[in-house]
Amino acid sequence: MIPRRAFTLLEALLALALVAMLGGSLLSFVWTLSDRTREVRRAAAREDGVSLFLDRLESDVLCGLAGGPGLGAGVQGDPSGVKIMTRGVALRLGKGGATPARDIQFGEYRVDAAGGRLRARRAAEGEAQGELEQVTGGIREARFRYHDGLAWQESFDSAARNSLPAAIEIAVWYGQPAPPDENAAPAEAAEPPSPDRVRLIVIPDGPATAVKEVL
């Protein structure tokens, strides 16, 4: 009969160490997988938010008005955002209700550079405009620019120009906003090499001769 041999203390400690290493590796794998899942969900939510922002902006731009005396600017924008006057659908209310005199609506779309957010709001003429609401976060930077029929401009006012722009371009960079550097000069601020999303909206009622140049 072969005599039984018990585990030595060293063998028992070695077995415990191997089990601990295996358990640690498994826990690390599960933790990493959970982090990746959360990152994918955040990225998907950000993509959906940016698409919603751009789609809604394009819808307003394509229905935009040039504006005029008593109305103000139909398109008024700068690099951080744009305000657009559109024509909506005026609904006649029931008995005793009033019918709006005009069906003018306003949409405003802006980037909050400090908070890394895209924000928007809409209101009908005569209504109090509420606060800009967050559409999505995770935005490092966004930039608006406007084609006036000859060249790209950083700002545009359709009332002053008496016409709509030929196109509006929105570029979006993903990521966290860079912390402000109080010692850096404005000229030292470097633009990211290429945006993650770009939407070019050619306006049908804009200067027709500029469409080929824009495209």
Side-chain angles (χ1 to χ4, degrees), residues 3-215:
R4 291 183 177 181
R5 187 177 70 87
F7 288 108
T8 64
L9 178 59
L10 179 60
E11 290 173 336
L13 292 176
L14 181 59
L16 290 175
L18 291 175
V19 171
M21 290 176 60
L22 181 61
S25 298
L26 182 60
L27 182 61
S28 177
F29 172 76
V30 172
W31 188 266
T32 301
L33 182 61
S34 178
D35 283 347
R36 294 291 176 86
T37 301
R38 285 194 292 268
E39 289 178 4
V40 169
R41 288 177 178 174
R42 284 196 296 266
R46 179 180 59 196
E47 284 285 348
D48 290 344
V50 172
S51 295
L52 175 63
F53 182 90
L54 296 177
D55 290 345
R56 189 60 184 174
L57 170 60
E58 182 169 5
S59 176
D60 279 355
V61 168
L62 295 180
C63 298
L65 304 173
L71 291 176
V75 175
Q76 186 175 32
D78 54 38
S80 65
V82 62
K83 187 174 182 180
I84 302 166
M85 180 191 304
T86 64
R87 189 175 296 282
V89 178
L91 299 178
R92 186 178 297 276
L93 305 179
K95 289 185 177 181
T99 301
R102 291 186 295 193
D103 55 356
I104 302 299
Q105 299 180 7
F106 297 92
E108 187 170 2
Y109 302 84
R110 294 210 164 271
V111 55
D112 176 7
R117 300 172 294 179
L118 294 177
R119 307 175 71 187
R121 63 182 172 188
R122 301 189 83 250
E125 184 183 23
E127 293 181 351
Q129 296 188 6
E131 295 292 330
L132 287 163
E133 297 182 3
Q134 176 174 331
V135 179
T136 188
I139 304 302
R140 177 180 177 183
E141 185 181 348
R143 181 196 64 204
F144 294 73
R145 61 176 186 164
Y146 313 87
H147 202 287
D148 64 359
L150 299 175
W152 288 105
Q153 306 294 335
E154 291 189 354
S155 61
F156 195 91
D157 188 314
S158 62
R161 292 175 176 267
N162 197 29
S163 71
L164 291 169
I168 299 177
E169 182 192 73
I170 309 95
V172 180
W173 289 264
Y174 296 159
Q176 297 302 317
D181 186 355
E182 297 179 356
N183 298 323
E188 297 177 7
E191 181 181 283
S194 60
D196 295 289
R197 291 284 297 273
V198 177
R199 178 71 64 90
L200 177 63
I201 305 172
V202 177
I203 301 176
D205 293 334
T209 57
V211 172
K212 292 183 178 181
E213 296 296 331
V214 173
L215 297 177

